[in-house]
Amino acid sequence: MNMKDGKTPRTLVVYSTRTGQTQEIAELIAEGIRFGGAEADVKNVTGIKKESDLAGYDAYVFGSATYHGEMMQPMKTMLFLAEKLNLEGKAGGSFGAFGWSGEAPDRIFDTMANIFKMNMVSGPLRLKSASLGGGIKMAQDYGREVGKILSDT
Ligand SMILES: Cc1cc2nc3c(=O)[nH]c(=O)nc-3n(C[C@H](O)[C@H](O)[C@H](O)COP(=O)(O)O)c2cc1C
């Protein structure tokens, strides 16, 4: 897949996790993105420390598990860092593992849409686990959906 400038689009998937479920979802989303012909890097939010760690991608997919009704603190901090980049019009999506309420993917999605003004997929991906209830396919399909926005750009 090529963008208008002839380059292969690059996607960054960043996850915040405590017990690893959200990382698994991140890896599956990245697979789906690659199936669609774009490049995908997957990074733990703990490795994102400065603007240059985030800069230079055509699409961003941010995810966090939900704890106590919220996204995890490192993802909140990273969103303030991302605010400093101009992500307007770039493709975006959000995801996260949850147990019962799953607020984190919704809050991340709203921030990317309303503050960063990104070109978002239809909605956040909320999964109770990567492997249960068709989660593998849902996460891969979510990556494909991100790739579809890129191919339309
Ligand atoms: C102390 C604690 C609090 C939690 N709070 C919530 C919550 O408010 N809402 C929810 O949907 N899930 C909640 N969960 C469930 C986690 O989101 C769920 O276990 C998820 O799979 C963890 O993802 P992770 O492996 O990426 O950390 C909580 C889990 C623990 C241990």
Side-chain angles (χ1 to χ4, degrees):
M1 185 209 302
N2 288 325
M3 312 256 305
K4 278 185 194 131
D5 60 8
K7 290 190 185 134
T8 301
R10 298 179 66 223
T11 305
L12 180 63
V13 182
V14 183
Y15 64 86
S16 188
T17 187
R18 180 167 167 263
T19 59
Q21 284 299 322
T22 303
Q23 177 179 2
E24 282 188 38
I25 298 168
E27 304 281 1
L28 291 163
I29 291 172
E31 276 181 24
I33 291 167
R34 293 180 196 122
F35 290 155
E39 290 174 16
D41 290 345
V42 182
K43 291 187 187 169
N44 191 323
V45 71
T46 54
I48 308 284
K49 297 196 162 50
K50 49 191 188 308
E51 282 175 58
S52 60
D53 295 330
L54 281 175
Y57 291 88
D58 305 296
Y60 294 85
V61 190
F62 296 150
S64 172
T66 299
Y67 287 95
H68 313 293
E70 297 182 25
M71 73 181 82
M72 296 176 71
Q73 184 59 47
M75 180 54 65
K76 288 188 193 175
T77 304
M78 197 216 70
L79 289 175
F80 286 126
L81 189 65
E83 185 198 357
K84 296 182 185 171
L85 286 95
N86 179 15
L87 300 184
E88 188 168 344
K90 300 212 174 196
S94 72
F95 63 98
F98 74 109
W100 56 91
S101 55
E103 288 88 348
D106 294 340
R107 294 290 87 77
I108 296 169
F109 192 95
D110 291 349
T111 302
M112 296 172 89
N114 294 300
I115 303 294
F116 304 162
K117 305 204 182 313
M118 296 177 72
N119 187 10
M120 301 298 286
V121 295
S122 56
L125 175 71
R126 300 157 80 246
L127 287 178
K128 291 210 170 168
S129 125
S131 48
L132 290 175
I136 291 176
K137 182 164 189 307
M138 286 171 74
Q140 289 172 338
D141 285 350
Y142 197 76
R144 288 183 198 270
E145 203 188 329
V146 174
K148 177 94 184 36
I149 293 192
L150 282 166
S151 62
D152 292 345
T153 315

